[in-house]
């Protein structure tokens, strides 16, 4: 997957992927890994985002499709966003590929009701932990809903 994408991915994300695989945390947070042909396949999500970006009109400064402005979707040799998760409510989670070290990439997230980006200087695992356990992690915390802690793998996932 990393070869096809032309970049390494964050190490903590790869560890989460090995431990859990693709699936859903607390019935609401969708976690994507390489799971070819399955619902939460990271490579398919990236390709889909590239396709959507390619079909959207460019913003005024040429910085990418307006849907992902001002960042655009990641392409080899150019920075941008890589989608790695979402929620039942259509919230979206991305890495912003700033610099050569994936461990330092910030997470950008936005809610279904806003196109405003929220930037988090933390790892994928820390973001998920806060979203799942911290009721004050606004607007992305699901702990405020008192959901049962759980992980449901995609049926038949690797």
């Amino acid at each position: 997957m990393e070869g096809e994408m032309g970049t390494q991915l964050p190490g903590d994300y790869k560890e989460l992927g090995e431990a859990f695989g693709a699936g859903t945390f607390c019935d609401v947070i969708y976690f994507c890994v390489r799971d070819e042909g399955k619902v939460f396949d990271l490579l398919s999500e990236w390709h889909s985002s590239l396709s959507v970006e390619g079909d959207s009109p460019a913003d005024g400064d040429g910085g990418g499709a307006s849907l992902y402005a001002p960042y655009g979707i990641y392409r080899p040799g150019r920075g941008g966003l890589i989608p790695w998760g979402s929620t039942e409510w259509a919230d979206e989670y991305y890495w912003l590929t700033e610099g050569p070290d994936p461990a330092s990439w910030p997470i950008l997230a936005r809610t279904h009701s806003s196109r405003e980006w929220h930037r988090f200087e933390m790892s994928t695992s820390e973001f998920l932990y806060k979203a799942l356990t911290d009721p004050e992690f606004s607007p992305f915390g699901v702990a405020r809903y008192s959901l049962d802690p759980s992980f449901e793998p995609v049926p038949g996932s690797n």
Side-chain angles (χ1 to χ4, degrees), residues 84 92-96 98 103-111 116-124 126-127 130-131 136-141:
W84 62 266
E92 303 168 293
Y93 308 146
Y94 299 84
W95 295 295
L96 179 58
E98 293 182 330
S104 67
W105 291 348
I107 290 175
L108 292 185
R110 62 186 175 183
T111 66
E116 178 185 349
W117 293 105
H118 298 262
R119 183 180 176 117
F120 299 92
E121 301 293 336
M122 61 183 65
S123 68
T124 310
E126 184 177 359
F127 182 90
K130 286 184 173 282
E136 303 300 316
F137 190 60
S138 183
F140 301 102

Side-chain angles (χ1 to χ4, degrees), residues 9-32:
L9 297 173
D12 79 302
Y13 160 78
K14 291 189 278 189
E15 289 177 19
L16 282 167
E18 288 176 19
F20 290 99
T24 308
F25 287 96
C26 295
D27 294 325
V28 295
I29 295 180
Y30 307 141
F31 183 66
C32 298

Side-chain angles (χ1 to χ4, degrees), residues 9-141:
L9 297 173
D12 79 302
Y13 160 78
K14 291 189 278 189
E15 289 177 19
L16 282 167
E18 288 176 19
F20 290 99
T24 308
F25 287 96
C26 295
D27 294 325
V28 295
I29 295 180
Y30 307 141
F31 183 66
C32 298
V33 300
R34 182 65 177 139
D35 202 7
E36 195 170 344
K38 303 295 181 201
V39 176
F40 305 126
D41 176 53
L42 186 129
L43 203 53
S44 296
E45 290 294 321
W46 176 59
H47 283 293
S48 176
S49 296
L50 283 169
S51 175
V52 167
E53 181 179 58
D55 293 341
S56 299
D59 64 26
D61 65 6
S66 58
L67 183 60
Y68 303 104
Y71 306 104
I73 293 297
Y74 166 81
R75 286 178 170 77
R78 184 191 96 176
L81 301 169
I82 298 176
W84 62 266
S86 61
T87 68
E88 166 181 303
W89 307 291
D91 296 346
E92 303 168 293
Y93 308 146
Y94 299 84
W95 295 295
L96 179 58
T97 60
E98 293 182 330
D101 181 12
S104 67
W105 291 348
I107 290 175
L108 292 185
R110 62 186 175 183
T111 66
H112 70 286
S113 61
S114 171
R115 301 319 300 162
E116 178 185 349
W117 293 105
H118 298 262
R119 183 180 176 117
F120 299 92
E121 301 293 336
M122 61 183 65
S123 68
T124 310
S125 53
E126 184 177 359
F127 182 90
L128 279 173
Y129 176 78
K130 286 184 173 282
L132 294 167
T133 65
D134 184 352
E136 303 300 316
F137 190 60
S138 183
F140 301 102

